[in-house]
Amino acid sequence: MNLEENFQQKVDDEIKIEPKDWMPEKYRQTLIRQISQHAHSEIVGMLPEGNWITRAPSLRRKAILIAKVQDEAGHGLYLYSAAETLGISRDEMYDQLHTGKAKYSSIFNYPTLTWADIGAIGWLVDGAAILNQIPLCRTSFGPYARAMVRVCKEESFHQRQGFELLLTLSQGTEAQKKMCQDAINRWWWPSLMMFGPNDDASPHTAQSMKWKIKRFTNDELRQKFIDMIAEQVKVLNMTLPDDELKWNEERKHYDFGKINWEEFWQVVGGNGPCNKQRLDARKNAWADGEWVREAATAYAEKKLAKQTTNAA
Ligand code: FAQ
């Protein structure tokens, strides 16, 4: 058996691939691409919600939102660490984000216009993220799989807080109900796009399934999400903005309307409503932190020089 066959055999036998194991270069590159884009999504994903921390309507809501946004930072850090084990540095990954070479999830290029958007993000965006990430706990690359276990635990709290926020609004005044429905209307279709292009337009799915990086295809996960949310929305007494959404007894799934893929590719290509704002915020944060990095490096160098002198 050659190296590549041996590698595939391990994957087929559900043996985790670890950083020091031999792996095909394309497997390494696929993982670097997916894990780093996932990390960037967590970090950029802090921005739309962070925007509402100062305006949360109560101390309880503020404490929950701060905790959630901090969790997203933590997820980004676990993921950057997992990607580093594949031989890419954190600085390189940041550079790829700042220069637009690396993508991050399309969903975070939409604005958070009202407080109800915070609930819609928790319920729909975290809901979609969990469905995608639970299978990633069994992904073939060990460090990615282990990072996902903790991330999923935290994401399920995120989804519940979002649903609870919307449930409160849905039982409130007419204005609150209207705000709740409006947020659901705006976030529904972009949430469906989070799962990526249809399987027949997804260049990476087939190979990633063979390597067990992905356990389900984009369309399979999207359908699971639609089936789940179409039931949960009834509890909120709200509706989803899709006239074609209908239970199909034969398929045992909900049928749904057409996704606007033109909009998806525009957003992915940098032309969404908030792309520039999001990337500028990240680039500014990096530039503003320059003095901290310099100070930390100077301190580390000084400490090392002292240790070297003492050792001599
Ligand atoms: N946005 O062939 P595929 C979160 C790109 S975390 C932008 O299907 P693949 C937590 C794709 O990169 C959300 N680009 O690719 C949170 C590829 O381009 P490339 C992030 C997208 O990798 C909640 C091209 O299209 N989650 O939300 C998108 O097999 C609340 C062709 O696509 C993850 O990253 C998109 N939506 O499947 C944080 C999960 N979809 O790279 C804060 C891990 C596709 O060739 C607040 N990632 N593209 O230039 C994955 O599961 C996969 O990478 C997919 C895409 C499913 C996203």
Side-chain angles (χ1 to χ4, degrees), residues 33 37 49 103-104 106 132 194 196 202-204 214 218:
R33 179 184 62 78
Q37 293 187 4
E49 287 177 288
K103 296 185 168 76
Y104 57 86
S106 49
N132 168 282
M194 280 178 76
S202 158
H204 303 300
K214 285 166 95 161
N218 300 355

Side-chain angles (χ1 to χ4, degrees), residues 182-251:
D182 169 64
I184 294 171
N185 291 349
R186 282 181 292 104
W187 288 91
W188 173 244
W189 292 104
S191 301
L192 298 189
M193 295 174 195
M194 280 178 76
F195 295 95
N198 286 135
D199 295 348
D200 55 9
S202 158
H204 303 300
T205 294
Q207 184 61 68
S208 288
M209 296 282 285
K210 185 160 181 253
W211 280 331
K212 300 193 186 211
I213 293 175
K214 285 166 95 161
R215 296 278 177 162
F216 294 96
T217 70
N218 300 355
D219 286 333
E220 285 168 346
L221 289 173
R222 191 170 10 251
Q223 182 71 62
K224 270 179 198 258
F225 177 70
I226 291 167
D227 292 347
M228 177 179 88
I229 298 294
E231 290 300 316
Q232 292 180 356
V233 75
K234 294 178 189 167
V235 182
L236 292 177
N237 243 331
M238 296 279 145
T239 56
L240 296 171
D242 181 357
D243 296 339
E244 294 174 51
L245 189 77
K246 199 165 172 277
W247 177 253
N248 182 326
E249 190 51 37
E250 229 166 82
R251 288 202 313 125

Side-chain angles (χ1 to χ4, degrees), residues 45-221:
M46 295 166 72
L47 298 169
E49 287 177 288
N51 189 29
W52 276 89
I53 290 173
T54 54
R55 291 174 287 165
S58 68
L59 181 60
R60 175 171 170 267
R61 292 289 180 202
K62 193 192 285 269
I64 293 171
L65 185 56
I66 290 175
K68 179 185 190 301
V69 172
Q70 281 179 339
D71 284 351
E72 308 300 359
H75 300 172
L77 298 182
Y78 314 147
L79 287 162
Y80 283 127
S81 299
E84 279 174 319
T85 67
L86 291 156
I88 184 167
S89 73
R90 207 169 286 213
D91 282 3
E92 279 175 89
M93 288 187 267
Y94 288 153
D95 190 59
Q96 290 177 354
L97 172 67
H98 298 157
T99 56
K101 186 172 172 240
K103 296 185 168 76
Y104 57 86
S105 183
S106 49
I107 193 78
F108 302 116
N109 293 306
Y110 291 86
T112 38
L113 302 179
T114 72
W115 173 249
D117 288 21
I118 300 306
I121 291 183
W123 178 42
L124 297 174
V125 176
D126 284 276
I130 298 173
L131 270 184
N132 168 282
Q133 287 169 184
I134 286 176
L136 288 176
C137 296
R138 293 186 295 115
T139 196
S140 55
F141 185 56
Y144 193 21
R146 291 188 287 273
M148 278 301 113
V149 173
R150 176 144 178 202
V151 169
C152 284
K153 286 190 180 148
E154 293 175 350
E155 297 289 26
S156 66
F157 151 73
H158 296 171
Q159 191 195 19
R160 289 181 65 160
Q161 67 81 36
F163 187 78
E164 193 258 349
L165 194 165
L166 291 185
L167 190 62
T168 307
L169 289 178
S170 73
Q171 294 166 354
T173 64
E174 278 314 306
Q176 286 171 324
K177 287 180 189 164
K178 219 169 141 202
M179 185 164 68
C180 180
Q181 183 63 62
D182 169 64
I184 294 171
N185 291 349
R186 282 181 292 104
W187 288 91
W188 173 244
W189 292 104
S191 301
L192 298 189
M193 295 174 195
M194 280 178 76
F195 295 95
N198 286 135
D199 295 348
D200 55 9
S202 158
H204 303 300
T205 294
Q207 184 61 68
S208 288
M209 296 282 285
K210 185 160 181 253
W211 280 331
K212 300 193 186 211
I213 293 175
K214 285 166 95 161
R215 296 278 177 162
F216 294 96
T217 70
N218 300 355
D219 286 333
E220 285 168 346
L221 289 173

